[in-house]
């Protein structure tokens, strides 16, 4: 009995989540209403309120579930070989998180894109910052801090390549595989802008 109830609850939340994804793509989160969600999900308002207080609570809870899973994937024990400064963002760790995003791609793309939640990107950035701090502590490293590159700028550069690559991947609709994106994230640490410029053939 309890198992059946849990299954029905999960199915209802999945329908609500799918409705939210579709509506954010069509009209944006700010413009959608609880009535829009219930109509699209084909549930009554009473059922909706068994799960969420309002549309803001719905978005927050669904995002928090995603962030919690990302934290578990990114901040779990790193691979044993990831013990040098070049492994601040280990491939296996990044791949695990990207595989998770790929499984929930439509939702992540909806909340991070136009019409989504502008507060989601800072939440994701905070998780990446925690991963950086974990890597620095694990490798006994620190970030550059001098007149040419003060610490706040060095820190921003250290995490920006991860966020930029993931953001573009989402914008492009997940064209590349999680493995390809993870390799790009890991390779980007050794790339400087000048190395991206090549002469015309």
């Amino acid at each position: 009995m309890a198992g059946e109830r849990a299954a029905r609850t999960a199915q209802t939340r999945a329908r609500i989540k799918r409705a939210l994804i579709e509506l954010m793509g069509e009209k944006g989160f700010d413009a959608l209403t609880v009535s829009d969600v219930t109509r699209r999900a084909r549930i009554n308002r009473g059922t909706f309120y068994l799960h969420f207080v309002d549309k803001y609570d719905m978005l927050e809870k669904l995002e928090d579930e995603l962030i919690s899973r990302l934290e578990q994937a990114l901040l779990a024990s790193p691979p044993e070989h990831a013990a040098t400064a070049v492994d601040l963002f280990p491939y296996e760790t990044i791949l695990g998180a990207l595989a998770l995003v790929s499984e929930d791609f439509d939702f992540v793309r909806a909340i991070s894109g136009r019409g989504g939640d502008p507060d989601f990107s800072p939440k994701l950035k905070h998780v990446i910052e925690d991963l950086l701090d974990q890597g620095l502590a694990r490798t006994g490293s620190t970030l550059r801090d001098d007149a040419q590159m003060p610490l706040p700028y060095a820190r921003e550069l250290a995490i920006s390549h991860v966020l930029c690559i993931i953001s573009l991947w989402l914008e492009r609709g997940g064209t590349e595989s999680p493995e390809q994106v993870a390799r790009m994230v890991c390779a980007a640490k050794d790339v400087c802008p000048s190395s991206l410029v090549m002469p015309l053939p």
Side-chain angles (χ1 to χ4, degrees):
M1 191 69 168
E4 293 179 3
R5 187 180 300 111
R8 286 197 300 271
T9 297
Q11 184 179 50
T12 299
R13 287 176 72 94
R15 289 169 65 181
I16 292 172
K17 186 175 182 178
R18 171 48 55 184
L20 173 63
I21 292 168
E22 293 174 359
L23 290 165
M24 281 196 292
E26 294 170 13
K27 59 171 59 179
F29 180 76
D30 290 341
L32 66 83
T33 65
V34 169
S35 294
D36 291 330
V37 174
T38 56
R39 280 194 297 268
R40 184 64 61 90
R42 296 186 178 182
I43 61 172
N44 60 52
R45 290 174 67 89
T47 299
F48 177 90
Y49 290 121
L50 288 174
H51 296 270
F52 307 108
V53 175
D54 52 29
K55 73 172 191 176
Y56 302 101
D57 181 59
M58 169 183 61
L59 183 64
E60 182 178 5
K61 284 181 176 175
L62 292 174
E63 282 188 4
D64 286 349
E65 290 173 2
L66 171 65
I67 290 294
S68 177
R69 297 200 307 273
L70 284 173
E71 287 176 335
Q72 290 175 14
L74 287 169
L75 303 178
S77 298
E80 292 183 2
H81 66 77
T84 66
V86 296
D87 289 321
L88 293 178
F89 302 108
Y91 172 82
E92 291 87 350
T93 301
I94 295 297
L95 177 58
L98 291 173
L100 190 156
V101 170
S102 183
E103 293 172 2
D104 206 4
F105 191 87
D106 290 344
F107 178 63
V108 180
R109 190 182 188 190
I111 59 178
S112 62
R114 184 180 303 174
D117 180 13
D119 292 330
F120 176 71
S121 291
K123 291 179 183 179
L124 179 59
K125 180 179 180 181
H126 181 71
V127 177
I128 300 300
E129 286 180 319
D130 285 346
L131 178 61
L132 171 65
D133 290 336
Q134 182 188 75
L136 290 171
R138 185 184 69 252
T139 60
S141 306
T142 188
L143 291 173
R144 179 175 174 177
D145 184 15
D146 54 39
Q148 189 176 19
M149 183 62 67
L151 180 59
Y153 294 89
R155 186 176 181 84
E156 192 69 19
L157 282 172
I159 63 173
S160 62
H161 77 279
V162 181
L163 294 170
C164 288
I165 290 172
I166 293 174
S167 294
L168 184 57
W169 180 52
L170 292 169
E171 288 176 20
R172 286 167 53 84
T175 304
E176 297 82 10
S177 69
E179 290 81 5
Q180 287 176 293
V181 179
R183 286 195 293 270
M184 282 190 280
V185 168
C186 293
K189 68 180 181 295
D190 299 319
V191 175
C192 64
S194 61
S195 70
L196 300 174
V197 180
M198 300 182 67
L200 291 171

